[in-house]
Amino acid sequence: MVLEQELAHIRRRDYLIKLLAFLVLVVHWFNPLMWMSFVLMSKDMEMSCDESVLRKLGNGAKAGYSHSLLAFSVKRGRVLSGSPLAFGHNSIHARIKNVLSYKQPKVGLVAAASIVSLLFMVGFMANPAGKMERSVDQVNKLASVWADALVSRDGQPRYEMMSPAMKEQFKQEQAARRGENWNYSIGVSSPWVADYAIRITV
């Protein structure tokens, strides 16, 4: 049974996946989230292969397989037991509990879960062109209003675009420059702008 579990690792190319994950961990050794991800990935990898063995051997193999896991466990209680690239010695207690409580999922339930997951993936990956175009057009219009105000030195169009807090700040700045009879003129001390071009990158 233990041999069958190791063969499941080989069939899934887990030795390559774990090596790649370990190389990423070496590069990002300072990030605690990477360590946690590596430990959880190793644990899930073992449990997935355990379930693969039970699907092949049936529920009657639960007791014998649990005893085999317990017999082959070493150095329990450590975050990474032995070599971090080794299989079979991670989270023995959790793996045995998972084996004993494992129930083979029904085909219909698995199919439904797969369809729902696929729909979510498609939904999150989709990027509606119409919505993107509307967003770009809106940004372009706002940028044009802002630039036109600079060319004409008339700050009122900009003022209308501002939030209440920014409007209040604009009033205070204009009043500080021009007194009580302030107006919406802007950029008086700046060079005159003759022309402009708007470039939006997405």
Side-chain angles (χ1 to χ4, degrees):
M1 286 185 285
V2 174
L3 180 60
E4 182 61 36
Q5 202 258 8
E6 298 301 325
L7 291 175
H9 282 301
I10 295 174
R11 285 193 296 269
R12 298 180 179 196
R13 305 288 197 277
D14 285 348
Y15 54 93
L16 295 177
I17 296 173
K18 198 166 187 180
L19 177 60
L20 179 61
F22 184 71
L23 292 176
V24 174
L25 178 62
V26 169
V27 175
H28 297 276
W29 61 268
F30 52 87
N31 189 343
L33 292 178
M34 294 300 298
W35 286 92
M36 183 175 67
S37 299
F38 183 80
V39 171
L40 293 177
M41 183 208 70
S42 299
K43 180 179 177 181
D44 289 342
M45 193 176 285
E46 294 297 338
M47 287 186 175
S48 178
C49 286
D50 292 338
E51 293 173 0
S52 175
V53 173
L54 292 177
R55 281 196 297 270
K56 185 172 183 178
L57 301 181
N59 290 335
K62 284 183 178 182
Y65 188 60
S66 299
H67 284 299
S68 298
L69 288 177
L70 188 60
F72 279 91
S73 65
V74 292
K75 299 181 182 179
R76 291 180 299 173
R78 296 177 57 184
V79 177
L80 291 175
S81 299
S83 170
L85 298 178
F87 293 108
H89 304 307
N90 296 316
S91 306
I92 294 297
H93 181 263
R95 289 176 61 192
I96 291 176
K97 286 182 64 177
N98 184 61
V99 166
L100 294 177
S101 61
Y102 172 75
K103 293 181 180 179
Q104 189 165 348
K106 296 180 180 179
V107 177
L109 183 62
V110 174
S114 300
I115 292 173
V116 171
S117 299
L118 182 61
L119 290 175
F120 271 106
M121 289 176 60
V122 172
F124 282 121
M125 292 174 64
N127 190 9
K131 186 175 181 180
M132 176 63 72
E133 290 175 0
R134 288 194 300 271
S135 178
V136 172
D137 289 342
Q138 184 178 12
V139 172
N140 188 65
K141 289 178 181 178
L142 293 175
S144 297
V145 171
W146 197 268
D148 286 337
L150 184 60
V151 172
S152 65
R153 304 295 174 120
D154 182 6
Q156 188 164 3
R158 285 191 183 183
Y159 178 83
E160 300 300 332
M161 295 166 53
M162 296 177 183
S163 65
M166 291 184 66
K167 286 181 178 179
E168 185 62 31
Q169 182 180 351
F170 179 85
K171 289 180 181 179
Q172 293 176 3
E173 292 176 351
Q174 293 294 92
R177 294 190 186 100
R178 304 176 183 277
E180 295 182 359
N181 298 322
W182 65 271
N183 54 42
Y184 293 99
S185 297
I186 59 173
V188 176
S189 60
S190 302
W192 285 90
V193 178
D195 197 6
Y196 64 86
I198 297 174
R199 180 180 299 175
I200 300 174
T201 57
V202 293

